[in-house]
């Protein structure tokens, strides 16, 4: 035990030395750094100096003061306080700055986690050390490695795929970042957050207060009886910010506790739709099932550091979140992945990886697309934001004829997102989905708004392969999964809360929120 502790303290001293040298090298030309990076590195240097002044005692004991200073360093690395103009999206403004320290950030989290484990083995953790934010090493267990297992098996059977891999790697290096910012995850660009139409937070348009903090701002809005816990999952390249909401007094080790992990859509942030999520939580509780919700932001978005170059990077982060939640005591039977829009693809791919490893989580796919080429094609043949097809028949035919090229390009730059493919490989009882599509008789009334983001031809159930799958599995009619937004033309149907989505066909009697609550509450 003493030998192990000595090794950890040696690693800690080495990491501090490396961080000091790295900061000295980066700030040697401080005039070339932007304002956000300067503030970031100055905070880090101050936290580092404070920690070095707080020495460990001669017996190698970890004092409370030392641990608090250590967490101040972690906060400076992963939760920096920037000037107000950069406060809303630190992951964007510090993308390059954090990339220079990502490996050390991972090392500090790893050492902290091991030292705390040693401390709690010897004596109970002092209550003064319980933090509102915690830091964990992102798991890299069987679920994450299952992605590599599939990759290796295919290449052993078909070695020619290795040549295609080389083409895809080069294509992703040259154009992957462009495709992610332009089509898959535009939220990687902060200018998109400043659009007033997003209604995420008026600070993106008008600026943030000097003392603004996302988590503090949300904590003030929480109703009585709801507890919030924030944590970061850190690996060598990314630091994913997560948040958990649960009813007060709920035991995380309760085998009957339902856990819903939210995979948010593009430009969605968990802080902007708190009332919607709490309403969903209440609807699940009415079904007699205690429930907690876990949210996370994609790397590069808002306060999650990193820069994904392909959708598989989002999937890998999602698997780490799922594995962390399972490691905290949740059981697969009571774990539900809820993905909306882009999050629908990420959640579906994560669920497929889990099922591949016989971890039978459940999936709720909410208004997602079939694949990236279908989505691009649908946008090209419609007037964006209206949902109506272009009237020129020949222009539409040209766009459809270019579909094979779009399919090839998305594959060549590793930016495919085949939700349909992965959904059709899940167990029938473990997955459900909805799309926003009105019945013809309802549409004729002219008082409804269909989904203008995921167009009709791009939705999950429009693929011919999906229809064959539904017929083969006797999955009933696709119309059972269709909902619409009634009489609220000012409401964005793609972002509308589940409780206002009504069934498009008479065979379905319940609204979308009731359907979701029953799906979460039911026993596997």
């Amino acid at each position: 035990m003493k030998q192990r502790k000595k090794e950890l303290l040696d690693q800690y001293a080495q990491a501090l030395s490396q961080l000091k040298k790295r900061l000295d090298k980066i700030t040697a030309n401080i005039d070339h750094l932007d304002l956000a990076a300067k503030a970031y590195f100055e905070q880090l240097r101050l936290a580092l100096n404070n920690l070095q002044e707080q020495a460990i005692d001669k017996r190698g004991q970890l004092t409370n003061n030392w641990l608090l200073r250590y967490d101040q360093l972690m906060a400076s690395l992963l939760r920096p306080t920037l000037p107000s103009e950069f406060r809303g999206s630190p992951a964007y403004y510090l993308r390059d700055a954090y990339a220079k320290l990502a490996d050390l950030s991972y090392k500090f989290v790893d050492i902290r986690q091991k030292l705390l484990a040693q401390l709690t083995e010897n004596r109970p953790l002092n209550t003064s050390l319980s933090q509102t934010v915690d830091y964990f090493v992102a798991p890299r267990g069987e679920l994450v490695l299952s992605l590599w297992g599939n990759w290796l098996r295919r290449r052993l059977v078909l070695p020619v795929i290795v040549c295609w891999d080389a083409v895809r790697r080069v294509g992703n290096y040259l154009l992957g970042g462009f495709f992610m910012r332009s089509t898959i995850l535009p939220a990687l660009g902060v200018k998109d957050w400043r659009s007033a139409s997003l209604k995420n937070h008026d600070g993106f348009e008008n600026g943030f207060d000097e003392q603004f903090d996302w988590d503090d701002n949300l904590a003030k809005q929480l109703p009585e009886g709801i507890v919030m816990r924030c944590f970061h999952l850190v690996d060598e390249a990314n630091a994913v910010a997560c948040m958990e909401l649960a009813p007060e007094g709920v035991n995380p080790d309760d085998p009957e506790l339902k856990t819903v992990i939210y995979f948010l859509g593009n430009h969605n942030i968990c802080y902007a739709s708190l009332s919607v999520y709490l309403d969903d939580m209440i609807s699940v509780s009415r079904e007699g099932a205690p429930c907690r919700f876990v949210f996370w932001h994609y790397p590069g978005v808002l306060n999650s550091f990193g820069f994904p170059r392909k959708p598989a990077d989002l999937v890998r982060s999602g698997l780490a979140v799922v594995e962390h939640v399972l490691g905290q005591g949740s059981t697969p039977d009571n774990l539900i992945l809820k993905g909306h829009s882009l999050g629908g693809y990420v959640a579906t791919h994560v669920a497929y990886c889990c099922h591949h490893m016989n971890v039978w989580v459940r999936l709720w796919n909410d208004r997602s697309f079939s694949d990236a080429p279908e989505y691009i094609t649908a946008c090209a043949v419609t007037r964006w934001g209206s949902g109506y097809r272009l009237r020129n028949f020949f222009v539409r035919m040209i766009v459809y004829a270019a579909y094979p090229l779009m399919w090839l390009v998305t594959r060549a730059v590793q930016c495919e997102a085949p939700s349909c493919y992965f959904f059709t490989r899940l167990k029938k009882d473990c997955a459900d989905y909805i799309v926003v599509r009105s019945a013809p008789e309802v549409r004729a009334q002219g008082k409804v708004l269909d989904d203008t983001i995921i167009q009709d031809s791009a939705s999950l159930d429009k693929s011919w392969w999906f229809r064959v799958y539904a017929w083969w599995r006797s999955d009933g009619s696709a119309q059972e999964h269709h909902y619409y937004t009634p009489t609220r033309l000012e409401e964005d149907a793609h972002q509308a809360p589940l409780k206002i989505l009504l069934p498009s066909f008479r065979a379905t009697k319940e609204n979308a929120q009731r359907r979701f609550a029953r799906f979460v509450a039911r026993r596997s």
Side-chain angles (χ1 to χ4, degrees), residues 7 64 79 135 171 195 217 343 380 382 427 431 450 454 465 467 488 492 520:
E7 291 175 1
N64 293 353
R79 300 172 55 81
Y135 308 93
S195 170
N217 183 62
T382 57
K427 288 183 66 174
D450 277 356
I454 306 299
W465 175 250
R467 296 182 183 186
R488 295 187 60 175
D492 178 6
V520 173

Side-chain angles (χ1 to χ4, degrees), residues 430-447:
C430 289
D432 196 6
Y433 76 96
I434 63 167
V435 296
V436 176
R437 292 291 173 266
S438 304
E441 58 271 20
V442 176
R443 190 191 301 271
Q445 300 174 7
K447 296 182 179 180

Side-chain angles (χ1 to χ4, degrees), residues 423 432-439 456 459-463 466-471 474-483 503-505 507-508 515:
F423 192 92
D432 196 6
Y433 76 96
I434 63 167
V435 296
V436 176
R437 292 291 173 266
S438 304
D456 182 40
S459 61
L460 182 67
D461 60 357
K462 282 296 183 179
S463 166
F466 191 95
R467 296 182 183 186
V468 171
Y469 152 83
W471 171 79
S474 301
D475 197 20
S477 172
Q479 296 175 351
E480 297 176 3
H481 303 269
H482 290 191
Y483 289 78
S504 298
F505 296 87
T508 307
R515 180 180 188 140

Side-chain angles (χ1 to χ4, degrees), residues 325-430:
V325 171
L326 290 173
Q328 295 293 305
S330 292
T331 59
D333 292 344
N334 290 320
L335 185 59
I336 297 91
L337 314 183
K338 182 183 185 297
H340 173 257
S341 191
L342 169 65
Y345 156 70
V346 181
T348 303
H349 197 160
V350 169
Y352 167 78
C353 294
C354 292
H355 287 201
H356 182 73
M357 299 301 296
N358 296 324
V359 178
W360 305 111
V361 300
R362 284 182 283 155
L363 169 74
W364 172 271
N365 189 305
D366 180 9
R367 287 166 276 186
S368 187
F369 50 82
S370 176
D371 198 352
E374 278 84 353
Y375 174 70
I376 297 172
T377 303
C379 292
V381 299
T382 57
R383 291 186 298 174
W384 181 258
S386 67
Y388 296 106
R389 294 184 181 281
L390 293 174
R391 294 182 178 181
N392 192 310
F393 174 80
F394 294 103
V395 174
R396 293 208 313 270
M397 291 302 102
I398 291 173
V399 174
Y400 286 130
Y403 173 83
L405 178 62
M406 283 185 270
W407 186 93
L408 181 62
V409 170
T410 55
R411 264 63 183 176
V413 298
Q414 295 182 322
C415 283
E416 67 273 20
S419 298
C420 173
Y421 173 86
F422 294 114
F423 192 92
T424 55
R425 279 153 179 78
L426 301 178
K427 288 183 66 174
K428 178 181 177 181
D429 295 337
C430 289

Side-chain angles (χ1 to χ4, degrees), residues 2-33:
K2 290 183 179 180
Q3 181 64 24
R4 178 59 179 158
K5 191 171 188 178
K6 184 179 182 303
E7 291 175 1
L8 287 175
L9 294 177
D10 290 341
Q11 292 176 20
Y12 157 74
Q14 184 182 9
L16 284 183
S17 175
Q18 288 178 337
L19 179 59
K20 187 177 186 306
K21 291 179 181 177
R22 193 83 59 91
L23 288 176
D24 290 339
K25 182 178 179 180
I26 294 172
T27 56
N29 292 323
I30 196 168
D31 295 335
H32 297 286
L33 299 175

Side-chain angles (χ1 to χ4, degrees), residues 118-282:
Q118 291 261 337
L119 180 64
T120 52
E121 279 183 10
N122 298 332
R123 65 179 188 273
L125 189 63
N126 192 307
T127 54
S128 64
L129 297 178
S130 48
Q131 304 290 320
T132 55
V133 180
D134 213 339
Y135 308 93
F136 300 96
V137 171
R140 288 182 295 178
E142 292 183 346
L143 294 181
V144 177
L145 293 177
S146 68
L147 291 173
W148 293 104
N150 289 339
W151 187 90
L152 287 173
R153 278 192 291 275
R154 290 169 183 167
R155 280 137 192 85
L156 290 174
V157 175
L158 297 172
V160 70
I161 299 181
V162 177
C163 298
W164 176 235
D165 284 340
V167 173
R168 282 161 54 86
R169 187 176 293 274
V170 173
N172 182 260
Y173 178 78
L174 296 176
L175 292 173
F178 168 78
F179 265 79
M180 285 296 290
R181 286 192 298 263
S182 303
T183 59
I184 307 298
L185 192 57
L188 289 172
V190 75
K191 65 179 182 180
D192 296 306
W193 290 102
R194 295 192 182 278
S195 170
S197 62
L198 293 175
K199 302 177 184 177
N200 280 322
H201 195 281
D202 56 6
F204 287 115
E205 190 69 19
N206 304 321
F208 293 87
D209 298 332
E210 283 294 335
Q211 302 301 321
F212 180 85
D213 179 81
W214 282 112
D215 296 325
D216 291 345
N217 183 62
L218 182 65
K220 295 174 184 176
Q221 304 176 42
L222 286 178
E224 189 176 349
I226 300 295
V227 178
M228 180 179 75
R229 187 176 73 92
C230 301
F231 58 96
H232 289 259
L233 298 180
V234 184
D235 61 22
E236 291 91 338
N238 305 311
V240 175
C242 307
M243 183 185 70
E244 175 186 310
L245 295 179
E248 193 173 3
V250 166
N251 180 12
D253 298 328
D254 183 0
E256 297 300 320
L257 177 65
K258 303 288 185 180
T259 301
V260 180
I261 300 179
Y262 269 75
F263 292 71
L264 302 173
N266 189 35
H267 284 137
N268 293 147
I269 58 177
C270 61
Y271 306 104
S273 304
L274 176 64
S275 60
V276 175
Y277 303 137
L278 292 176
D279 200 38
D280 290 343
M281 183 184 291
I282 292 171

Side-chain angles (χ1 to χ4, degrees), residues 44-155:
L44 270 176
R45 187 176 292 282
L46 180 60
L48 178 63
N49 292 337
N50 289 340
L51 184 58
Q52 287 180 322
E53 291 173 4
Q54 186 67 42
I56 301 172
D57 66 18
K58 295 181 180 179
R59 294 177 298 169
Q61 294 297 324
L62 310 179
T63 62
N64 293 353
N65 243 1
W66 179 85
L67 285 169
L68 289 173
R69 297 280 180 92
Y70 198 113
D71 276 357
Q72 288 175 6
L73 177 64
M74 295 308 309
S76 299
L77 272 169
L78 300 173
R79 300 172 55 81
T81 302
L82 300 179
S84 57
E85 60 265 36
F86 311 113
R87 191 67 54 83
S89 188
Y92 172 79
Y93 292 110
L94 298 178
R95 181 178 297 161
D96 296 332
Y98 180 79
K100 298 174 183 177
L101 302 174
D103 58 328
L104 291 179
S105 176
Y106 167 76
K107 188 176 292 187
F108 275 112
V109 173
D110 185 39
I111 293 171
R112 177 186 183 275
Q113 192 168 321
K114 292 174 181 176
L115 285 173
L116 282 179
Q118 291 261 337
L119 180 64
T120 52
E121 279 183 10
N122 298 332
R123 65 179 188 273
L125 189 63
N126 192 307
T127 54
S128 64
L129 297 178
S130 48
Q131 304 290 320
T132 55
V133 180
D134 213 339
Y135 308 93
F136 300 96
V137 171
R140 288 182 295 178
E142 292 183 346
L143 294 181
V144 177
L145 293 177
S146 68
L147 291 173
W148 293 104
N150 289 339
W151 187 90
L152 287 173
R153 278 192 291 275
R154 290 169 183 167
R155 280 137 192 85

